[in-house]
Each structure stands twice: as structure tokens, then as C-alpha cells.
Amino acid sequence: MPLTILVVDDDLGTRLSISDYLELSGYSVVTANDGQEALVMVDNYHPDLIVTDIIMPRMNGYELVRRVRQQPAFRLLPVILLTARTKTQERILGYQSGCDLYLPKPFELEELAAAIRNLLERSQIIQSEYRFSHKENLGSFVPTKEVENPNSSSTNIQQSQLLASLTSREQEVLELLTHGFSNADMGHQLHLSPRTVEKYVSSLLRKTATSNRAELVRFAMKHGLVE
């Protein structure tokens, strides 16, 4: 069964060119005109990846990604933001909203397809590992007798050490981050400036050896660093 990609853009020409190319590449494609329509499509189709423009009527791409990330089922959903805006601050806003990749316009469809392939492969690996780990944990549970696993104690020690290395504020930021909050939202919740929140996020990335927020959230969920 082909993977499903949601393409969101208020420009019909862009929407059609991307969807046609992806369908020829073997994907199942659904489209939306703006962020509000896209939220409905996410609930109805549960896409494997979203490609979205930023500047759109009713709801822009930043808000769309933020709203999607607030839903537990879609915290790890790969998202690519497309835009003609290339200023550093705008790219930062894109990553703060929770996107995995920021692709400036104009772009080659072949480049977009390569980025989609890479994100989907990583997403499938992470989901497979999570399912395997979950099954393994369920299968190893024995009510009457505890079965010792020489590797599990080492893993538990590593997790405990990592948790111990996180400050209480870092743990609070990490918890909010997994719920899709932006720096501004987290700052409002924790009474911190967005710049200070960004410093905590950078510290979390360093301590977990992850390279972006999406990887950090996956790592935290996989290793039980968040509820």
C-alpha cells in the first residue's frame, strides 16, 4: 500500500505540480488549499508526511504545524515547509513550529522527492523500532517472576543517568516540546523569554546527542524521558 502525502498550498499550479510528480513517484497524494482544510485532511487520511506552504489564507503553515504537533498521534509526523521567504528568522520560526525540513522556493521537484524519501525512511525506521520495543516490553512482562535481562539493567542505568543530568527546567521544556509547543508558547507557560527557552532546547539537543527537535521528541518518547 503506497504511503500517503498531504500537499498543502493555496496556489493551484504549485499544488498540482507537486501532487502529480509525487503520484508518478508512487505515492498516494491528498491536497488542501490552506491550513484549516489541511487539519481536516490530517484527521481523515492520517498521512505519512506533510508538504506545506507557509503563507496561506485562514491558517498559515506555522500554525498548521503547531496544531498538528499538539495531537499526540501526529507528534512524529514528518513535515516539510515550503516558502519563498528565506530570511534566517523565518527559517527559525519554521523549525520552532516543529517542522523537520525547511525548503525555500524555487526548488526542484527532484530535490523535494529526495527529501521526502529521506524523511519517510527515517520515520519508518523509528516507528518500527518503537513498535518492536513496545512489543518486547509487553512480551518480557512476567507477573509471577521477574526475568533478569543483562542488557536491561544497563539501559535502565543509562536512562536514569540521563534523567538525572536534566535540570527540572529542562524536563519541563522537554515535556512541553513533545506536545508541540513553540518557544513563545513554552515561554508563556514557564514565564521565560523565547530566547531563554531556545537555550534550554539547545542544551537538551546536546545532552541527548540529537540534531533537531523532531529527533529530540522521538528520543525522549523512546527512552521514557517524558510521560
Side-chain angles (χ1 to χ4, degrees):
M1 188 174 181
L3 297 176
T4 300
I5 298 176
L6 172 59
V7 177
V8 191
D9 201 305
D10 61 320
D11 181 74
L12 178 61
T14 301
R15 204 164 63 242
L16 288 176
S17 63
I18 293 176
S19 58
D20 286 349
Y21 188 88
L22 293 179
E23 284 178 345
L24 288 172
S25 300
Y27 298 106
S28 173
V29 181
V30 291
T31 63
N33 297 304
D34 56 53
Q36 283 191 11
E37 186 178 330
L39 282 178
V40 176
M41 303 295 276
V42 168
D43 287 332
N44 290 343
Y45 291 93
H46 288 233
D48 298 287
L49 181 143
I50 297 177
V51 178
T52 179
D53 191 21
I54 290 179
I55 307 304
M56 298 180 292
R58 299 204 298 170
M59 183 187 292
N60 63 33
Y62 296 139
E63 180 65 13
L64 168 61
V65 178
R66 191 181 71 81
R67 296 276 291 274
V68 167
R69 289 284 183 253
Q70 287 177 344
Q71 302 182 54
F74 304 118
R75 285 183 195 169
L76 305 182
L77 178 64
V79 178
I80 298 176
L81 281 178
L82 306 175
T83 184
R85 296 186 172 186
T86 56
K87 291 183 180 178
T88 301
Q89 188 58 37
E90 287 160 347
R91 291 201 301 273
I92 291 173
L93 282 174
Y95 288 120
Q96 287 177 344
S97 70
C99 80
D100 294 273
L101 182 66
Y102 188 103
L103 196 60
K105 296 178 179 179
F107 56 86
E108 296 291 334
L109 289 171
E110 189 176 354
E111 179 185 5
L112 174 61
I116 288 172
R117 260 193 321 272
N118 180 49
L119 286 175
L120 285 174
E121 286 173 0
R122 286 169 51 194
S123 176
Q124 295 296 306
I125 291 171
I126 290 168
Q127 289 181 39
S128 296
E129 288 180 347
Y130 178 79
R131 284 194 296 267
F132 177 77
S133 175
H134 185 63
K135 262 180 91 175
E136 192 176 51
N137 289 337
L138 288 176
S140 62
F141 178 69
V142 181
T144 56
K145 182 179 178 182
E146 185 176 345
V147 179
E148 290 190 6
N149 182 341
N151 295 322
S152 65
S153 58
S154 174
T155 301
N156 290 335
I157 290 171
Q158 290 174 354
Q159 290 178 1
S160 299
Q161 289 174 341
L162 180 54
L163 271 173
S165 74
L166 301 182
T167 66
S168 59
R169 188 63 88 182
E170 285 172 342
Q171 290 178 23
E172 290 174 339
V173 169
L174 183 58
E175 186 67 38
L176 292 176
L177 196 62
T178 60
H179 286 83
F181 281 68
S182 67
N183 280 8
D185 293 330
M186 288 189 282
H188 181 71
Q189 286 276 104
L190 303 174
H191 306 290
L192 301 171
S193 70
R195 186 178 293 274
T196 301
V197 171
E198 184 61 36
K199 289 181 180 178
Y200 282 117
V201 173
S202 297
S203 177
L204 287 166
L205 291 171
R206 185 181 67 256
K207 288 182 177 181
T208 58
T210 52
S211 58
N212 57 53
R213 290 167 182 244
E215 285 186 14
L216 173 57
V217 171
R218 294 177 188 125
F219 181 93
M221 294 176 69
K222 179 180 178 182
H223 293 278
L225 301 183
V226 291
E227 293 295 330

mmCIF file with all atom_site columns, all heavy atoms in Angstrom, residues 81-94:
data_model
loop_
_atom_site.group_PDB
_atom_site.id
_atom_site.type_symbol
_atom_site.label_atom_id
_atom_site.label_alt_id
_atom_site.label_comp_id
_atom_site.label_asym_id
_atom_site.label_entity_id
_atom_site.label_seq_id
_atom_site.pdbx_PDB_ins_code
_atom_site.Cartn_x
_atom_site.Cartn_y
_atom_site.Cartn_z
_atom_site.occupancy
_atom_site.B_iso_or_equiv
_atom_site.pdbx_formal_charge
_atom_site.auth_seq_id
_atom_site.auth_comp_id
_atom_site.auth_asym_id
_atom_site.auth_atom_id
_atom_site.pdbx_PDB_model_num
ATOM 1   N N   . LEU A 1 81 ? 8.279  22.348 5.228  1.00 0.00 ? 81 LEU A N   1
ATOM 2   C CA  . LEU A 1 81 ? 7.729  23.672 4.975  1.00 0.00 ? 81 LEU A CA  1
ATOM 3   C C   . LEU A 1 81 ? 8.328  24.236 3.690  1.00 0.00 ? 81 LEU A C   1
ATOM 4   O O   . LEU A 1 81 ? 9.541  24.202 3.493  1.00 0.00 ? 81 LEU A O   1
ATOM 5   C CB  . LEU A 1 81 ? 8.047  24.623 6.133  1.00 0.00 ? 81 LEU A CB  1
ATOM 6   C CG  . LEU A 1 81 ? 7.183  24.523 7.398  1.00 0.00 ? 81 LEU A CG  1
ATOM 7   C CD1 . LEU A 1 81 ? 7.689  25.525 8.438  1.00 0.00 ? 81 LEU A CD1 1
ATOM 8   C CD2 . LEU A 1 81 ? 5.728  24.799 7.091  1.00 0.00 ? 81 LEU A CD2 1
ATOM 9   N N   . LEU A 1 82 ? 7.469  24.759 2.818  1.00 0.00 ? 82 LEU A N   1
ATOM 10  C CA  . LEU A 1 82 ? 7.897  25.384 1.569  1.00 0.00 ? 82 LEU A CA  1
ATOM 11  C C   . LEU A 1 82 ? 7.596  26.875 1.634  1.00 0.00 ? 82 LEU A C   1
ATOM 12  O O   . LEU A 1 82 ? 6.512  27.260 2.057  1.00 0.00 ? 82 LEU A O   1
ATOM 13  C CB  . LEU A 1 82 ? 7.144  24.790 0.377  1.00 0.00 ? 82 LEU A CB  1
ATOM 14  C CG  . LEU A 1 82 ? 7.167  23.269 0.198  1.00 0.00 ? 82 LEU A CG  1
ATOM 15  C CD1 . LEU A 1 82 ? 6.268  22.888 -0.965 1.00 0.00 ? 82 LEU A CD1 1
ATOM 16  C CD2 . LEU A 1 82 ? 8.591  22.790 -0.052 1.00 0.00 ? 82 LEU A CD2 1
ATOM 17  N N   . THR A 1 83 ? 8.538  27.709 1.219  1.00 0.00 ? 83 THR A N   1
ATOM 18  C CA  . THR A 1 83 ? 8.263  29.149 1.207  1.00 0.00 ? 83 THR A CA  1
ATOM 19  C C   . THR A 1 83 ? 9.269  29.902 0.368  1.00 0.00 ? 83 THR A C   1
ATOM 20  O O   . THR A 1 83 ? 10.404 29.459 0.179  1.00 0.00 ? 83 THR A O   1
ATOM 21  C CB  . THR A 1 83 ? 8.281  29.728 2.629  1.00 0.00 ? 83 THR A CB  1
ATOM 22  O OG1 . THR A 1 83 ? 7.919  31.108 2.597  1.00 0.00 ? 83 THR A OG1 1
ATOM 23  C CG2 . THR A 1 83 ? 9.646  29.597 3.256  1.00 0.00 ? 83 THR A CG2 1
ATOM 24  N N   . ALA A 1 84 ? 8.829  31.051 -0.138 1.00 0.00 ? 84 ALA A N   1
ATOM 25  C CA  . ALA A 1 84 ? 9.717  31.946 -0.885 1.00 0.00 ? 84 ALA A CA  1
ATOM 26  C C   . ALA A 1 84 ? 10.528 32.811 0.076  1.00 0.00 ? 84 ALA A C   1
ATOM 27  O O   . ALA A 1 84 ? 11.492 33.457 -0.324 1.00 0.00 ? 84 ALA A O   1
ATOM 28  C CB  . ALA A 1 84 ? 8.901  32.824 -1.823 1.00 0.00 ? 84 ALA A CB  1
ATOM 29  N N   . ARG A 1 85 ? 10.125 32.834 1.340  1.00 0.00 ? 85 ARG A N   1
ATOM 30  C CA  . ARG A 1 85 ? 10.837 33.633 2.329  1.00 0.00 ? 85 ARG A CA  1
ATOM 31  C C   . ARG A 1 85 ? 12.074 32.882 2.815  1.00 0.00 ? 85 ARG A C   1
ATOM 32  O O   . ARG A 1 85 ? 11.979 31.746 3.249  1.00 0.00 ? 85 ARG A O   1
ATOM 33  C CB  . ARG A 1 85 ? 9.920  33.928 3.523  1.00 0.00 ? 85 ARG A CB  1
ATOM 34  C CG  . ARG A 1 85 ? 8.709  34.782 3.149  1.00 0.00 ? 85 ARG A CG  1
ATOM 35  C CD  . ARG A 1 85 ? 7.926  35.149 4.385  1.00 0.00 ? 85 ARG A CD  1
ATOM 36  N NE  . ARG A 1 85 ? 6.881  36.102 4.096  1.00 0.00 ? 85 ARG A NE  1
ATOM 37  C CZ  . ARG A 1 85 ? 6.113  36.673 5.015  1.00 0.00 ? 85 ARG A CZ  1
ATOM 38  N NH1 . ARG A 1 85 ? 6.284  36.356 6.289  1.00 0.00 ? 85 ARG A NH1 1
ATOM 39  N NH2 . ARG A 1 85 ? 5.180  37.544 4.676  1.00 0.00 ? 85 ARG A NH2 1
ATOM 40  N N   . THR A 1 86 ? 13.219 33.542 2.747  1.00 0.00 ? 86 THR A N   1
ATOM 41  C CA  . THR A 1 86 ? 14.465 32.829 3.058  1.00 0.00 ? 86 THR A CA  1
ATOM 42  C C   . THR A 1 86 ? 15.279 33.497 4.169  1.00 0.00 ? 86 THR A C   1
ATOM 43  O O   . THR A 1 86 ? 16.432 33.156 4.367  1.00 0.00 ? 86 THR A O   1
ATOM 44  C CB  . THR A 1 86 ? 15.345 32.730 1.794  1.00 0.00 ? 86 THR A CB  1
ATOM 45  O OG1 . THR A 1 86 ? 15.588 34.052 1.270  1.00 0.00 ? 86 THR A OG1 1
ATOM 46  C CG2 . THR A 1 86 ? 14.678 31.894 0.726  1.00 0.00 ? 86 THR A CG2 1
ATOM 47  N N   . LYS A 1 87 ? 14.680 34.450 4.880  1.00 0.00 ? 87 LYS A N   1
ATOM 48  C CA  . LYS A 1 87 ? 15.409 35.090 5.966  1.00 0.00 ? 87 LYS A CA  1
ATOM 49  C C   . LYS A 1 87 ? 15.632 34.094 7.110  1.00 0.00 ? 87 LYS A C   1
ATOM 50  O O   . LYS A 1 87 ? 14.807 33.222 7.368  1.00 0.00 ? 87 LYS A O   1
ATOM 51  C CB  . LYS A 1 87 ? 14.641 36.304 6.483  1.00 0.00 ? 87 LYS A CB  1
ATOM 52  C CG  . LYS A 1 87 ? 14.596 37.465 5.489  1.00 0.00 ? 87 LYS A CG  1
ATOM 53  C CD  . LYS A 1 87 ? 13.881 38.661 6.081  1.00 0.00 ? 87 LYS A CD  1
ATOM 54  C CE  . LYS A 1 87 ? 13.846 39.818 5.097  1.00 0.00 ? 87 LYS A CE  1
ATOM 55  N NZ  . LYS A 1 87 ? 13.101 40.989 5.630  1.00 0.00 ? 87 LYS A NZ  1
ATOM 56  N N   . THR A 1 88 ? 16.768 34.272 7.789  1.00 0.00 ? 88 THR A N   1
ATOM 57  C CA  . THR A 1 88 ? 17.127 33.351 8.866  1.00 0.00 ? 88 THR A CA  1
ATOM 58  C C   . THR A 1 88 ? 16.039 33.268 9.933  1.00 0.00 ? 88 THR A C   1
ATOM 59  O O   . THR A 1 88 ? 15.684 32.180 10.387 1.00 0.00 ? 88 THR A O   1
ATOM 60  C CB  . THR A 1 88 ? 18.449 33.787 9.526  1.00 0.00 ? 88 THR A CB  1
ATOM 61  O OG1 . THR A 1 88 ? 19.477 33.798 8.530  1.00 0.00 ? 88 THR A OG1 1
ATOM 62  C CG2 . THR A 1 88 ? 18.846 32.827 10.644 1.00 0.00 ? 88 THR A CG2 1
ATOM 63  N N   . GLN A 1 89 ? 15.484 34.428 10.332 1.00 0.00 ? 89 GLN A N   1
ATOM 64  C CA  . GLN A 1 89 ? 14.475 34.430 11.390 1.00 0.00 ? 89 GLN A CA  1
ATOM 65  C C   . GLN A 1 89 ? 13.238 33.640 10.984 1.00 0.00 ? 89 GLN A C   1
ATOM 66  O O   . GLN A 1 89 ? 12.608 32.972 11.815 1.00 0.00 ? 89 GLN A O   1
ATOM 67  C CB  . GLN A 1 89 ? 14.079 35.867 11.731 1.00 0.00 ? 89 GLN A CB  1
ATOM 68  C CG  . GLN A 1 89 ? 13.181 35.988 12.967 1.00 0.00 ? 89 GLN A CG  1
ATOM 69  C CD  . GLN A 1 89 ? 13.816 35.389 14.222 1.00 0.00 ? 89 GLN A CD  1
ATOM 70  O OE1 . GLN A 1 89 ? 15.031 35.500 14.427 1.00 0.00 ? 89 GLN A OE1 1
ATOM 71  N NE2 . GLN A 1 89 ? 13.013 34.742 15.051 1.00 0.00 ? 89 GLN A NE2 1
ATOM 72  N N   . GLU A 1 90 ? 12.902 33.693 9.695  1.00 0.00 ? 90 GLU A N   1
ATOM 73  C CA  . GLU A 1 90 ? 11.731 32.955 9.221  1.00 0.00 ? 90 GLU A CA  1
ATOM 74  C C   . GLU A 1 90 ? 11.993 31.453 9.214  1.00 0.00 ? 90 GLU A C   1
ATOM 75  O O   . GLU A 1 90 ? 11.103 30.653 9.513  1.00 0.00 ? 90 GLU A O   1
ATOM 76  C CB  . GLU A 1 90 ? 11.338 33.452 7.825  1.00 0.00 ? 90 GLU A CB  1
ATOM 77  C CG  . GLU A 1 90 ? 10.704 34.840 7.883  1.00 0.00 ? 90 GLU A CG  1
ATOM 78  C CD  . GLU A 1 90 ? 10.738 35.559 6.557  1.00 0.00 ? 90 GLU A CD  1
ATOM 79  O OE1 . GLU A 1 90 ? 11.464 35.098 5.645  1.00 0.00 ? 90 GLU A OE1 1
ATOM 80  O OE2 . GLU A 1 90 ? 10.046 36.570 6.424  1.00 0.00 ? 90 GLU A OE2 1
ATOM 81  N N   . ARG A 1 91 ? 13.226 31.071 8.891  1.00 0.00 ? 91 ARG A N   1
ATOM 82  C CA  . ARG A 1 91 ? 13.579 29.648 8.968  1.00 0.00 ? 91 ARG A CA  1
ATOM 83  C C   . ARG A 1 91 ? 13.545 29.172 10.415 1.00 0.00 ? 91 ARG A C   1
ATOM 84  O O   . ARG A 1 91 ? 13.084 28.067 10.708 1.00 0.00 ? 91 ARG A O   1
ATOM 85  C CB  . ARG A 1 91 ? 14.967 29.415 8.356  1.00 0.00 ? 91 ARG A CB  1
ATOM 86  C CG  . ARG A 1 91 ? 15.017 29.600 6.850  1.00 0.00 ? 91 ARG A CG  1
ATOM 87  C CD  . ARG A 1 91 ? 16.221 28.892 6.251  1.00 0.00 ? 91 ARG A CD  1
ATOM 88  N NE  . ARG A 1 91 ? 17.468 29.379 6.805  1.00 0.00 ? 91 ARG A NE  1
ATOM 89  C CZ  . ARG A 1 91 ? 18.148 30.426 6.339  1.00 0.00 ? 91 ARG A CZ  1
ATOM 90  N NH1 . ARG A 1 91 ? 17.651 31.118 5.308  1.00 0.00 ? 91 ARG A NH1 1
ATOM 91  N NH2 . ARG A 1 91 ? 19.276 30.802 6.883  1.00 0.00 ? 91 ARG A NH2 1
ATOM 92  N N   . ILE A 1 92 ? 14.024 30.016 11.322 1.00 0.00 ? 92 ILE A N   1
ATOM 93  C CA  . ILE A 1 92 ? 13.989 29.672 12.744 1.00 0.00 ? 92 ILE A CA  1
ATOM 94  C C   . ILE A 1 92 ? 12.546 29.466 13.197 1.00 0.00 ? 92 ILE A C   1
ATOM 95  O O   . ILE A 1 92 ? 12.235 28.515 13.930 1.00 0.00 ? 92 ILE A O   1
ATOM 96  C CB  . ILE A 1 92 ? 14.673 30.766 13.587 1.00 0.00 ? 92 ILE A CB  1
ATOM 97  C CG1 . ILE A 1 92 ? 16.185 30.763 13.316 1.00 0.00 ? 92 ILE A CG1 1
ATOM 98  C CG2 . ILE A 1 92 ? 14.407 30.560 15.086 1.00 0.00 ? 92 ILE A CG2 1
ATOM 99  C CD1 . ILE A 1 92 ? 16.931 31.908 13.971 1.00 0.00 ? 92 ILE A CD1 1
ATOM 100 N N   . LEU A 1 93 ? 11.644 30.346 12.752 1.00 0.00 ? 93 LEU A N   1
ATOM 101 C CA  . LEU A 1 93 ? 10.230 30.203 13.096 1.00 0.00 ? 93 LEU A CA  1
ATOM 102 C C   . LEU A 1 93 ? 9.682  28.862 12.607 1.00 0.00 ? 93 LEU A C   1
ATOM 103 O O   . LEU A 1 93 ? 8.892  28.216 13.284 1.00 0.00 ? 93 LEU A O   1
ATOM 104 C CB  . LEU A 1 93 ? 9.409  31.349 12.480 1.00 0.00 ? 93 LEU A CB  1
ATOM 105 C CG  . LEU A 1 93 ? 9.469  32.696 13.197 1.00 0.00 ? 93 LEU A CG  1
ATOM 106 C CD1 . LEU A 1 93 ? 8.731  33.754 12.383 1.00 0.00 ? 93 LEU A CD1 1
ATOM 107 C CD2 . LEU A 1 93 ? 8.872  32.592 14.590 1.00 0.00 ? 93 LEU A CD2 1
ATOM 108 N N   . GLY A 1 94 ? 10.127 28.461 11.415 1.00 0.00 ? 94 GLY A N   1
ATOM 109 C CA  . GLY A 1 94 ? 9.683  27.184 10.864 1.00 0.00 ? 94 GLY A CA  1
ATOM 110 C C   . GLY A 1 94 ? 10.101 26.014 11.725 1.00 0.00 ? 94 GLY A C   1
ATOM 111 O O   . GLY A 1 94 ? 9.290  25.130 12.036 1.00 0.00 ? 94 GLY A O   1
#
